[in-house]
Structures are given as C-alpha cells and as structure tokens.
Amino acid sequence: MQDVITTMREMIQDFHNPFLNQMFDQITHGKMLRSSMVLSIAPHNQMTIKLCAIIELIQLASLLHDDVIDESAIRRGKPSLNVQFGNKNAIMLGDALYAKAFFHLTSFPQEIAQSLSGAVCKLSNGEIYDVFLSQGFNASKEQYFLMIEEKTASLIASSAECAAILAGLESEGYLHYGKCLGIAFQIIDDILDITQSQEVLGKPSMQDFKEGKTTLPYLLLYENLPSLEAKEKLQNLCGKELSLDEKQWILDSMDQYQCIKQSQHLAQEIAKDSLSKLTSSYNPKLKEIINSMIQRSF
C-alpha cells in the first residue's frame, strides 16, 4: 500500500503546486479497499501499482466532493479538507485529482480506460441521485439500491474488472464480485452509521439521517412501523438534528422490528453471492476481503 501512496504523490507532484501538495498531505487514506482487492487479483508490478494509484485518486476526489455536498466537518476522525481549506479548494483539489487520474489512465489499454471512466460516470450519476433523494424522505428501496450501485459499487466493480484484465483473467466474474462487494460494503457502512459511536466512526452517529438520507435500516423501519402516525413521525425526523430521545426512539424501534439484523442478513447474502461467478482458482484473499468487510466495526 505504501507503494500505491508513493505513486499517488509522484503523480500529483507533476502539478508543481505547493498549495496542492499541502492539501494532499492532510488527506487520510483510510482502508484502501479497492487497492487491496486489485492487488489480490492482479500480479504485483508497476502497472498494477499505477492502476491502484489511479483508482485511489478517483476515490479521494469523489470523497472531497462528497464532503462539500454533505457539508461534512469530519472525515476519518479529522477535520475534513473543506473545513481546513474551504469548499472552493476542496472542490478544485478533487477536480485536480480526477484530471491527473484520467491523464495517467490514457497509458492503459482502451478496455481498462473505458471501464474506469464509465465507472466515474456512474459514480457521478449516483451522487446526483443521492442529493435529490436527500431532499425529502425517500421510501423506495429500489431507488436506494440504484443509488448505492451507481455511487459506491460502480468504482469497486470496475476496479475488480480492470485488475482481472491486467491479469489475463475472465473479467465478467470479477466485475460481479466487485459489484456485490460494493453494495454489501455500503449497506454495512449504513448500518454502522446507526450502531456505532462518534469515537469509533470518526464522525457523528446517525449523520446520514440528519443529512436526509434514508438508508436501508430506515427503509425497513418505515415498512414495519404499524401506524400512519409512526410513519409520519419517522418522516418528520429525517433531515433534522435529532434529540437523544428521538435517537433512542429510532434505535428502540429498529430493535423491535429487527431492522439492523435484516440489513446485516441482506449484506451477508449479497456478499456470499459475490463469489458465485468466479472459478475455483480465484485468490482466497478475495473471500477474506468479503469477510473482513462484513465483520468490521468502522
């Protein structure tokens, strides 16, 4: 992973911009799930490391834009870049990282370049879905799954597909693996936003609901609430700062109707299906990635 981070730094140093480097130095790189997956599929060589660096630049760019859109003050336990340097600089750094990633992507075969650039189109489309769905209480699971498939799963799926192409493997099964991993990953993220503390998450709990996002546990709760009055109460709480009593009502209601357990079960089923289209010769680390992602606490 250090080779990937070093390559990312080398790529952005081409800008010869001390202010850009100063901002980039404040970014925490997190789990680097996509690179872990790529390195479990393709051989470790210069092209694979370069592919990982491109993917991580794209991921960072999307997170920078996401924090501005969501007005997030914290990212991985630290002040977000938009808080440190302002929204304009965060947006422009995101644009610069996208631009540099696409510049280096041109050195790859067309099939890989088209896959990753197509994934960024889907990612952007999913972000727009997310913004519009957050403007009011969304009760549609269909729209939720469409949004997370585009916003989160598309880049993970493309990363797996591109790694398989580099390795000379049948890419369709790996595309499916990445798509399932991405959807399950997002469901677990949405669960943890509810169940974990700010100290563990590095951001306030139930932040998604405060931002107007009705993730899977809330959708299941809405389906299970027995009365119109209770459903309206949940709708009215969406998009606002919740009191301790309001948070507790949501948690108690989710526990009563097993919304968290149902969400976890669905994530596990999707994760299990991720391996269904791979041949028996796939790297066992791919199964380890699935298991660690499902069992994580942050």
Side-chain angles (χ1 to χ4, degrees), residues 60-248:
L60 285 177
S62 72
L63 293 179
L64 289 170
H65 288 175
D66 207 31
D67 282 346
V68 172
I69 292 167
D70 293 338
E71 299 179 348
S72 299
I74 299 174
R75 166 67 64 179
R76 295 170 182 146
K78 294 174 56 179
S80 58
L81 208 77
N82 47 299
V83 166
Q84 295 183 66
F85 297 97
N87 286 338
K88 292 179 181 178
N89 283 320
I91 291 170
M92 291 309 301
L93 178 59
D95 290 349
L97 298 185
Y98 271 132
K100 186 57 67 175
F102 278 102
F103 174 81
H104 285 282
L105 189 58
T106 60
S107 65
F108 281 81
Q110 184 178 13
E111 190 177 4
I112 289 176
Q114 287 182 337
S115 175
L116 269 182
S117 57
V120 175
C121 292
K122 291 179 180 178
L123 187 160
S124 303
N125 191 46
E127 188 70 74
I128 293 171
Y129 265 107
D130 194 23
V131 170
F132 274 86
L133 292 178
S134 300
Q135 292 177 353
F137 188 92
N138 169 48
S140 168
K141 282 194 291 188
E142 182 180 357
Q143 288 188 315
Y144 164 78
F145 278 108
L146 172 62
M147 184 269 293
I148 66 172
E149 183 177 331
E150 297 269 287
K151 183 181 175 183
T152 303
S154 60
L155 182 58
I156 299 177
S158 174
S159 300
E161 179 183 39
C162 292
I165 294 170
L166 273 185
L169 302 170
E170 173 53 53
S171 62
E172 183 178 351
Y174 290 89
L175 179 70
H176 177 75
Y177 169 85
K179 177 182 174 180
C180 291
L181 174 61
I183 293 173
F185 179 90
Q186 187 60 58
I187 292 173
I188 296 297
D189 246 22
D190 294 343
I191 291 170
L192 295 176
D193 179 77
I194 298 166
T195 60
Q196 298 290 11
S197 65
Q198 179 170 338
E199 290 72 26
V200 173
L201 293 173
K203 64 175 183 176
S205 62
M206 293 192 173
Q207 184 69 15
D208 290 340
F209 201 56
K210 178 186 173 183
E211 293 171 359
K213 299 177 182 180
T214 47
T215 57
L216 184 59
Y218 296 101
L219 291 167
L220 294 174
L221 176 58
Y222 184 77
E223 286 182 355
N224 283 279
L225 286 171
S227 68
L228 180 60
E229 180 183 4
K231 290 180 186 291
E232 288 178 348
K233 180 177 181 179
L234 183 64
Q235 287 177 314
N236 292 332
L237 292 178
C238 186
K240 61 168 283 190
E241 187 77 50
L242 299 175
S243 68
L244 291 178
D245 287 343
E246 289 166 340
K247 284 187 176 183
Q248 196 59 52

Side-chain angles (χ1 to χ4, degrees), residues 224-281:
N224 283 279
L225 286 171
S227 68
L228 180 60
E229 180 183 4
K231 290 180 186 291
E232 288 178 348
K233 180 177 181 179
L234 183 64
Q235 287 177 314
N236 292 332
L237 292 178
C238 186
K240 61 168 283 190
E241 187 77 50
L242 299 175
S243 68
L244 291 178
D245 287 343
E246 289 166 340
K247 284 187 176 183
Q248 196 59 52
W249 176 78
I250 291 174
L251 291 173
D252 290 343
S253 299
M254 284 188 176
D255 184 58
Q256 179 181 355
Y257 299 108
Q258 299 188 320
C259 301
I260 299 298
K261 288 184 179 179
Q262 289 182 54
S263 299
Q264 289 171 331
H265 177 72
L266 182 56
Q268 290 165 355
E269 289 298 307
I270 293 171
K272 182 179 178 181
D273 184 53
S274 68
L275 303 170
S276 64
K277 295 187 179 181
L278 297 178
T279 64
S280 59
S281 61

Side-chain angles (χ1 to χ4, degrees), residues 5 8-9 12-13 17-29 60 78 81 84-85 93 97:
I5 294 173
M8 293 165 66
R9 291 187 180 279
I12 68 162
Q13 282 172 1
N17 185 334
F19 303 112
L20 190 152
N21 289 331
Q22 180 186 356
M23 289 190 290
F24 189 82
D25 287 341
Q26 298 304 310
I27 294 175
T28 303
H29 294 284
L60 285 177
K78 294 174 56 179
L81 208 77
Q84 295 183 66
F85 297 97
L93 178 59
L97 298 185

